[in-house]
Amino acid sequence: MTIKPKAGERKRGSGVQYVYGILRDEILDLTLAPGAPIDEIRLAERLSMSRTPIREALVRLASEGLVTTLPNRSTVVANIDFMNLHTFFDAMTLMYRVTTRAAAQFHTPADMTAIKSRQADFAKAVEAQDALAMIASNREFHAEIARAGRNPYYNSLSLRLLDEGRRLLRMYYRSFDDRLPPEYVAEHEEMISAISARDLDRSDRLAKAHADQIVEQIRGFIARDHRDHVTL
Amino acid sequence: MTIKPKAGERKRGSGVQYVYGILRDEILDLTLAPGAPIDEIRLAERLSMSRTPIREALVRLASEGLVTTLPNRSTVVANIDFMNLHTFFDAMTLMYRVTTRAAAQFHTPADMTAIKSRQADFAKAVEAQDALAMIASNREFHAEIARAGRNPYYNSLSLRLLDEGRRLLRMYYRSFDDRLPPEYVAEHEEMISAISARDLDRSDRLAKAHADQIVEQIRGFIARDHRDHVTL
DNA sequence: TGTATTTTATTTGTCGACAAGTTTTTCTAA
DNA sequence: TTAGAAAAACTTGTCGACAAATAAAATACA
């Protein structure tokens, strides 16, 4: 549940950031369904602020591909393009590989501490069989690795892909409420050890295997799901 | 010279796009120097429109890393980080490779026509020894290849890198006014033939060689330039 | 003269208002 | 009753205004 600050209680200048964060979460959580229109006025009332900061947040979301702006008509939540998921899988696999490799090369001790901490969160979520927490902590784990790789270009693409992945996974965990294969925890541990040992090639190989496994899982979800997502 | 439409002569809804395009060009052309502050009011007067669409354009530029917003203080043109250029070179090389490879795999006849047309523009610019036109047409050539690869994630990162590259090259062509090695034209031709033949590995190899060559050229510029860019 | 402090001026972030479009509803006519 | 036209209702894009925050200038003080 999101707590809504009263009208004047927010710091000046934080309006756009605030709206951006809320909308982003609601889109990735599927609280806002793909294709759903976003009404600026209703949003302004709900968050008790004027339309200006809300529009600025929407411009930012649009430039990241999370919403689509139809000129003079409502902005809508971006659709999931099931026809071209392979482009997503391709890019995600590549980014897993290059960021993990770069992390192996450039990480500092502080990075390793942070990565291990994320992995602990992930293990806890798996232990508790909490699918939503797994999705979130898995994202943070890989985001931390990307950060340790210290390449802002790879970093921003990775974050974008991780976020879209979060939305995709959410879609299926909601319908199936499946058990996650527990080997993910072990795979993460192996990746940590490869990064820590600065073994670039092994990091690369493990990242690719990990990505392939996730892609297979999502593919499995989709195969079991025979409704017509195409027009969604 | 940019032609400025009078106040009411623009189509409603095109304001943000219009400002975004102008600012983006001026930043990449170095008309606006890295670190220069952007005054919203002056800009509003210059383009004869209110601050609202200008601010929305700035939000978009910020999310693409072309400007930096200092809260409650002026937004400034993003600096070029000479300390971490290797991250740029890394990412550019990788994107050249994956987009050229993807183009070889997925291109249509229409794509090939477009790519060859861009190459013709580039050859013309080289012929005329017009460095600025070379930079621009080289960008369009690679952007067209990326488009033919049909992966929106690779596409947007590629465009971002090509644009930053444009700014970087501009910086050095301005000081040195060098002659471009004409082998670039031949390399482009080879890439076209590999893409056309759907030879993925050869496309990949050529793209990497091409990227390496460009990286070496920029490195050469920087090596010859001994002023302290670091704090720029 | 140089430094700290108050005052002034400039610039940003947010707001409410209004006009240009778009969608929905109502009305008209076959 | 239904198709098309006209009108009403709503939504978006842009504007000018104002308050909060910062930067610059002026003043006081050692």
Side-chain angles (χ1 to χ4, degrees):
Chain A
M1 198 59 189
T2 329
I3 292 125
K4 181 182 73 175
K6 276 182 216 154
E9 285 186 9
R10 233 171 299 100
K11 267 173 271 165
R12 173 192 157 88
S14 69
V16 179
Q17 214 103 17
Y18 175 70
V19 180
Y20 170 80
I22 287 186
L23 274 181
R24 191 168 155 287
D25 280 342
E26 292 190 350
I27 291 171
L28 298 176
D29 281 355
L30 293 179
T31 306
L32 292 170
I38 297 175
D39 186 325
E40 295 175 6
I41 296 175
R42 240 180 290 273
L43 239 183
E45 284 168 5
R46 182 155 78 86
L47 305 181
S48 47
M49 55 172 55
S50 99
R51 277 174 54 225
T52 309
I54 281 163
R55 284 181 57 83
E56 292 181 3
L58 287 177
V59 169
R60 184 162 166 206
L61 288 166
S63 91
E64 291 168 14
L66 263 54
V67 304
T68 310
T69 311
L70 313 169
N72 282 319
R73 229 161 309 138
S74 67
T75 27
V76 297
V77 178
N79 286 321
I80 299 174
D81 185 357
F82 288 94
M83 294 299 288
N84 293 310
L85 271 185
H86 70 99
T87 63
F88 171 79
F89 294 143
D90 268 15
M92 200 191 67
T93 304
L94 185 63
M95 283 302 111
Y96 267 31
R97 290 179 59 192
V98 297
T99 56
T100 309
R101 175 181 270 271
Q105 191 167 9
F106 297 116
H107 73 83
T108 65
D111 294 329
M112 290 313 301
T113 309
I115 292 171
K116 282 173 186 160
S117 157
R118 305 300 184 181
Q119 163 69 351
D121 294 342
F122 180 69
K124 207 175 293 172
V126 171
E127 179 89 28
Q129 289 290 348
D130 181 345
L132 266 37
M134 281 187 240
I135 295 174
S137 55
N138 180 65
R139 178 202 181 279
E140 294 309 321
F141 176 74
H142 288 286
E144 198 68 55
I145 290 178
R147 195 174 310 137
R150 295 196 161 59
N151 185 315
Y153 306 101
Y154 293 156
N155 230 316
S156 65
L157 179 53
S158 292
L159 289 178
R160 181 176 168 191
L161 291 163
L162 285 168
D163 284 338
E164 287 211 23
R166 179 174 148 200
R167 188 159 78 137
L168 209 60
L169 285 173
R170 190 89 182 205
M171 172 154 267
Y172 288 105
Y173 279 115
R174 197 150 71 164
S175 16
F176 296 105
D177 201 12
D178 254 325
R179 301 279 167 262
L180 248 187
E183 55 260 32
Y184 284 179
V185 179
E187 287 185 12
H188 279 189
E189 293 291 352
E190 279 195 283
M191 288 167 69
I192 291 175
S193 102
I195 291 170
S196 190
R198 301 206 181 277
D199 187 336
L200 307 198
D201 288 336
R202 183 156 163 257
S203 298
D204 190 327
R205 231 179 315 116
L206 289 170
K208 173 160 170 42
H210 189 59
D212 287 346
Q213 187 128 344
I214 292 177
V215 168
E216 272 319 302
Q217 191 198 9
I218 299 178
R219 280 237 172 81
F221 282 143
I222 295 172
R224 265 188 277 170
D225 183 16
H226 294 293
R227 288 162 297 182
D228 55 335
H229 280 308
V230 182
T231 52
L232 216 166
Chain B
M1 197 59 187
T2 329
I3 292 125
K4 180 182 74 175
K6 277 183 215 154
E9 285 186 9
R10 232 171 299 99
K11 267 173 269 163
R12 174 193 158 86
S14 68
V16 180
Q17 214 101 17
Y18 174 68
V19 180
Y20 170 80
I22 287 186
L23 274 181
R24 190 168 156 287
D25 280 342
E26 293 191 350
I27 291 171
L28 299 176
D29 281 356
L30 293 179
T31 305
L32 292 171
I38 297 175
D39 186 325
E40 295 175 7
I41 296 176
R42 239 179 291 273
L43 239 182
E45 283 167 5
R46 183 155 77 88
L47 304 181
S48 50
M49 55 172 56
S50 97
R51 277 174 53 224
T52 310
I54 282 164
R55 283 180 59 82
E56 292 182 4
L58 287 177
V59 169
R60 185 162 165 206
L61 288 166
S63 91
E64 291 168 14
L66 263 55
V67 304
T68 310
T69 311
L70 313 170
N72 282 318
R73 227 162 313 138
S74 66
T75 35
V76 297
V77 178
N79 286 321
I80 300 175
D81 185 357
F82 287 94
M83 294 300 289
N84 293 309
L85 270 185
H86 70 99
T87 65
F88 171 78
F89 294 142
D90 268 14
M92 201 192 65
T93 304
L94 184 64
M95 283 302 112
Y96 266 32
R97 290 179 58 191
V98 297
T99 56
T100 309
R101 177 181 268 271
Q105 191 166 10
F106 297 116
H107 73 82
T108 65
D111 294 330
M112 291 312 301
T113 308
I115 291 171
K116 283 173 186 161
S117 158
R118 303 302 185 181
Q119 164 68 351
D121 295 341
F122 179 70
K124 206 174 295 172
V126 172
E127 180 88 30
Q129 290 289 353
D130 181 346
L132 266 39
M134 280 187 239
I135 295 175
S137 56
N138 180 65
R139 177 203 182 279
E140 295 309 321
F141 176 73
H142 288 287
E144 198 68 55
I145 289 178
R147 194 175 309 137
R150 294 197 162 60
N151 185 315
Y153 306 102
Y154 293 156
N155 231 316
S156 65
L157 179 53
S158 293
L159 289 178
R160 182 177 167 189
L161 291 163
L162 285 168
D163 284 338
E164 288 212 21
R166 179 174 148 200
R167 189 159 76 137
L168 208 59
L169 285 174
R170 190 88 180 205
M171 172 154 268
Y172 288 104
Y173 277 115
R174 197 150 70 164
S175 15
F176 296 105
D177 200 13
D178 255 324
R179 300 281 167 261
L180 248 186
E183 56 258 33
Y184 284 178
V185 178
E187 286 185 13
H188 280 188
E189 293 292 352
E190 279 195 283
M191 287 167 69
I192 290 176
S193 102
I195 292 170
S196 191
R198 301 203 182 278
D199 186 337
L200 307 197
D201 288 336
R202 183 157 162 257
S203 299
D204 191 327
R205 232 178 314 116
L206 290 171
K208 175 161 169 40
H210 189 58
D212 287 346
Q213 185 127 348
I214 292 177
V215 168
E216 272 319 302
Q217 192 199 9
I218 299 179
R219 280 236 172 83
F221 282 143
I222 295 173
R224 265 189 277 168
D225 182 16
H226 293 294
R227 288 162 296 182
D228 56 333
H229 279 310
V230 183
T231 53
L232 217 166

